[in-house]
Amino acid sequence: MPRPELVAVASTPEAVIAAVQGGADAVSIVPIGIGENPPIQGAFTMQSFNTSVAYCRVRGIKAYLELRAFPSDDEFEIYEKLIRLACRCGADAIAVADIGLGRLARQIAPDMPLHALGGMCIHDVSGVRFAAELGFSRL
């Protein structure tokens, strides 16, 4: 049986540092602010996301990209960029709340572990089977 994992959610680079220093086994990075114009003060940029993943990796802490959004069709471009960035940075998994983002992640990063967030509302065995068929490894 796998050992439980303490996952901290972080929506700023400073929160990533606090999570790691506080003893988290993994940090689920919510990239609030990426793509915003003007940028949100204290939020992630593409560079600070990359730096945050590296900060986790060199300390033996897993780093997940967490996408909580339910994007419209015209917003998928920024999520495609985020998924590609997570792959380049060496993120350990992608966690999504939207099935469309899950499919996009699977197309872009077929070998990247995929996690289903609570927003997917999976609450029974048929939902678990459906998620497993789509390639999700964690709910």
Side-chain angles (χ1 to χ4, degrees):
M1 175 175 238
R3 148 178 135 46
E5 181 179 66
L6 176 60
V7 181
V9 177
S11 57
T12 66
E14 295 78 15
V16 170
I17 293 167
V20 171
Q21 291 178 356
D25 299 311
V27 180
S28 196
I29 301 172
V30 182
I32 294 171
I34 291 184
E36 297 288 330
N37 193 8
I40 299 170
Q41 183 67 28
F44 283 99
T45 63
M46 295 285 193
Q47 180 58 44
S48 65
F49 179 85
N50 186 24
T51 302
S52 293
V53 171
Y55 181 85
C56 293
R57 303 283 298 179
V58 299
R59 289 161 178 80
I61 306 301
K62 292 182 180 177
Y64 305 140
L65 168 63
E66 183 171 320
L67 302 175
R68 297 178 177 178
F70 297 95
S72 61
D73 289 343
D74 61 332
E75 295 174 315
F76 267 79
E77 186 178 327
I78 187 68
Y79 292 98
E80 180 180 350
K81 289 178 182 177
L82 284 168
I83 293 165
R84 291 186 189 286
L85 175 64
C87 293
R88 282 193 310 273
C89 301
D92 294 284
I94 299 170
V96 298
D98 178 73
I99 194 73
L101 284 178
R103 288 185 169 149
L104 179 65
R106 184 55 57 228
Q107 289 172 358
I108 293 170
D111 298 326
M112 175 81 70
L114 195 56
H115 301 171
L117 296 172
M120 289 188 74
C121 299
I122 296 172
H123 58 272
D124 61 17
V125 153
S126 64
V128 171
R129 286 187 186 124
F130 176 73
E133 288 170 8
L134 293 174
F136 286 87
S137 59
R138 183 183 287 187
L139 307 176

